[in-house]
């Protein structure tokens, strides 16, 4: 090997060492800046299998559970075995803020950073992470490094359209995070976001429908007696209420206390019950209301109670067919608007 070749090889090795040293220094600098601003975590969430947030057992984000995979954040959506969540934001009802890291960040280092990003006022925020291979996911893998984070902010729900205050809240939190770790932030301007939120809110307001019936018990009855009769018929507990589940594994309608209090609130007696069909959040059924009425009639008979409409008038046979016919029109309108009844998207915006 000539002297020139030896010189060139040595120069190449030196250049590689400089690049490796620079990358190590940059990674160390980013880690130090993150640790200086991170809250103290008493337990390692990856080892404990913990979540950011504590969703109830009945409200989990659909996905595969596993000891090496944990959700980035809790979400307000009911999981069911018949529906699979696509691992990407939904541009129809969400606006995305993208945070690109200065360098790859491990799952363990990333977990504490998302604690304050789960909501914007009364709007939930779904958090997606993108690994160094470009794959987007709602779950952090213990042995994977991530290069960016996408925050999908819900544009509207039953609390109204995303407001300027809510948008500013999440934007400021993201910007503060980006300053800590030297990340870059990209997202639409506020006016564009607010206009999109207002349009979605107007559409939802025109289609939002709930149909109810009331079970009049005549006198106060023990809650345990009432819920026992309902559960014997097939109702199942669901966040302080009871739900009637369809063959698809999703809620068709619910039974609750007329005063709005949960059955397990400690109040020992109840005198009125409400049956509610939440049309946008329940799968389309040509006999959706009729099915609820049939169940209501049987429950009233078991409890020696009366089944009445929202005007406290006894329910008349045959009225269910008329109401179900009207609901079919609404189901078609929901689907035309991209908000198919019972879909994950519909359940997000009508939450």
């Amino acid at each position: 090997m000539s002297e020139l070749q030896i010189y060139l090889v040595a120069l190449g090795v030196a250049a590689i060492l400089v690049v490796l040293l620079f990358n190590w220094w940059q990674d160390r600098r980013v880690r130090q800046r993150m640790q200086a601003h991170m809250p103290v975590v008493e337990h390692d969430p990856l080892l404990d299998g913990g979540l950011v947030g504590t969703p109830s057992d009945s409200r989990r984000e659909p996905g595969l559970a596993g000891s090496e995979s944990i959700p980035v954040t809790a979400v307000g959506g009911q999981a069911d075995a018949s529906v699979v969540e696509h691992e990407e934001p939904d541009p129809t009802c969400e606006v995305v803020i993208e945070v690109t890291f200065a360098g790859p960040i491990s799952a363990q280092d990333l977990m504490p950073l998302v604690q304050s990003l789960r909501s914007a006022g009364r709007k939930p925020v779904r958090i997606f992470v993108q690994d160094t291979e470009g794959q987007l996911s709602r779950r952090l893998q213990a042995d994977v490094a991530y290069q960016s984070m996408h925050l999908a902010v819900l544009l509207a729900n039953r609390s109204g359209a995303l407001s300027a205050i809510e948008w500013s809240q999440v934007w400021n939190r993201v910007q503060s995070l980006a300053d800590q770790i030297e990340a870059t932030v990209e997202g639409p301007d506020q006016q564009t976001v607010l206009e999109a939120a207002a349009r979605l809110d107007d559409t939802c307001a025109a289609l939002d429908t709930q149909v109810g019936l009331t079970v009049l018990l005549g006198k106060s009855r023990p809650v345990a007696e009432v819920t026992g009769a309902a559960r014997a018929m097939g109702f199942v507990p669901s966040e302080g209420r009871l739900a009637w589940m369809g063959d698809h594994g999703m809620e068709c309608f619910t039974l609750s206390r007329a005063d709005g209090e949960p059955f397990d609130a400690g109040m020992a007696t109840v005198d009125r019950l409400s049956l509610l069909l939440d049309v946008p959040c329940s799968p389309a059924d040509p006999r959706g209301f009729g099915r609820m009425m049939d169940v209501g009639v049987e429950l009233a008979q078991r409890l020696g109670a009366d089944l009445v409409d929202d005007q406290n008038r006894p329910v008349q046979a045959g009225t269910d067919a008329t109401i179900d016919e009207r609901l079919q029109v609404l189901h078609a309108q929901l689907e035309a608007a991209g908000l198919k009844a019972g879909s994950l998207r519909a359940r997000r915006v009508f939450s």
Side-chain angles (χ1 to χ4, degrees):
M1 181 180 293
S2 69
E3 186 174 323
L4 176 60
Q5 288 175 318
I6 294 173
Y7 173 76
L8 291 175
V9 170
L11 185 63
V13 171
I16 293 173
L17 289 175
V18 169
V19 171
L20 291 175
L21 181 62
F22 175 78
N23 288 340
W24 172 84
W25 173 81
Q26 185 180 46
D27 180 69
R28 183 172 181 270
R29 186 165 174 250
V30 169
R31 284 174 175 270
Q32 287 175 337
R33 289 176 65 88
M34 287 191 300
Q35 290 170 356
H37 294 86
M38 284 181 186
V40 175
V41 180
E42 296 182 358
H43 302 287
D44 185 339
L46 291 173
L47 296 179
D48 293 346
L51 305 179
V52 178
T54 54
S56 66
D57 291 340
S58 59
R59 293 182 74 83
R60 292 183 181 273
E61 185 70 2
L64 298 177
S67 59
E68 298 184 1
S69 173
I70 52 179
V72 179
T73 184
V75 326
Q78 175 187 340
D80 59 80
S82 63
V83 182
V84 177
E85 172 95 58
H86 291 295
E87 297 295 326
E88 58 185 19
D90 185 349
T92 300
C93 64
E94 294 173 319
V95 61
V96 176
I97 301 173
E98 183 173 349
V99 183
T100 303
F101 310 140
I105 300 179
S106 69
Q108 187 169 4
D109 287 338
L110 186 57
M111 174 61 74
L113 301 178
V114 303
Q115 301 250 9
S116 64
L117 303 177
R118 293 174 293 137
S119 64
R122 300 178 70 178
K123 304 299 183 295
V125 177
R126 295 196 300 154
I127 301 177
F128 297 80
V129 286
Q130 187 173 41
D131 62 27
T132 54
E133 301 298 322
Q135 296 297 315
L136 205 63
S137 175
R138 294 261 4 248
R139 292 180 176 270
L140 292 172
Q141 300 290 335
D143 57 348
V144 175
Y146 297 94
Q147 64 183 6
S148 67
M149 178 169 59
H150 298 205
L151 281 71
V153 186
L154 190 65
L155 286 168
N157 57 13
R158 280 175 171 157
S159 70
L162 181 72
S163 68
I165 293 176
E166 290 172 324
W167 175 250
S168 296
Q169 181 186 85
V170 69
W171 183 267
N172 290 337
R173 288 175 179 172
V174 171
Q175 192 62 61
S176 176
L177 168 64
D179 291 341
Q180 293 173 27
I181 61 174
E182 296 184 341
T184 58
V185 179
E186 293 185 14
D189 66 86
Q190 177 172 297
Q191 189 58 36
T192 300
V193 171
L194 298 183
E195 289 174 358
R199 288 194 298 270
L200 179 60
D201 186 53
D202 288 343
T203 298
C204 293
L207 299 173
D208 197 359
T209 302
Q210 296 176 319
V211 185
L213 294 170
T214 300
V215 180
L216 296 178
L217 300 176
K219 62 179 181 179
S220 293
R221 306 276 287 276
V223 168
E225 176 187 337
V226 172
T227 57
R231 295 183 69 169
M233 288 179 57
F235 280 95
V236 297
S238 175
E239 299 182 335
R241 306 171 301 172
L242 295 174
W244 187 270
M245 311 298 287
D247 293 338
H248 37 56
M250 299 172 64
E251 286 186 6
C252 297
F253 49 86
T254 59
L255 178 71
S256 61
R257 299 176 62 112
D259 57 14
E261 294 292 331
F263 282 119
D264 54 5
M267 302 176 69
T269 61
V270 61
D271 58 3
R272 296 168 66 97
L273 303 171
S274 293
L275 282 163
L276 185 69
L277 171 60
D278 192 336
V279 179
C281 296
S282 304
D285 181 347
R287 282 208 72 241
F289 180 78
R291 204 175 309 281
M292 183 175 74
M293 194 172 90
D294 292 344
V295 171
V297 168
E298 182 180 346
L299 179 62
Q301 291 174 345
R302 290 187 178 218
L303 295 172
D306 296 315
L307 186 67
V308 300
D309 61 19
D310 56 0
Q311 302 295 320
N312 284 333
R313 297 173 301 194
V315 173
Q316 301 295 321
T319 57
D320 56 316
T322 301
I323 293 176
D324 274 325
E325 185 176 345
R326 294 174 183 171
L327 294 184
Q328 295 314 298
V329 175
L330 181 60
H331 287 147
Q333 293 172 335
L334 283 164
E335 187 156 7
L339 297 168
K340 184 178 180 180
S343 67
L344 287 168
R345 178 185 294 162
R347 283 183 279 153
R348 286 194 191 106
V349 300
F350 291 101
S351 62

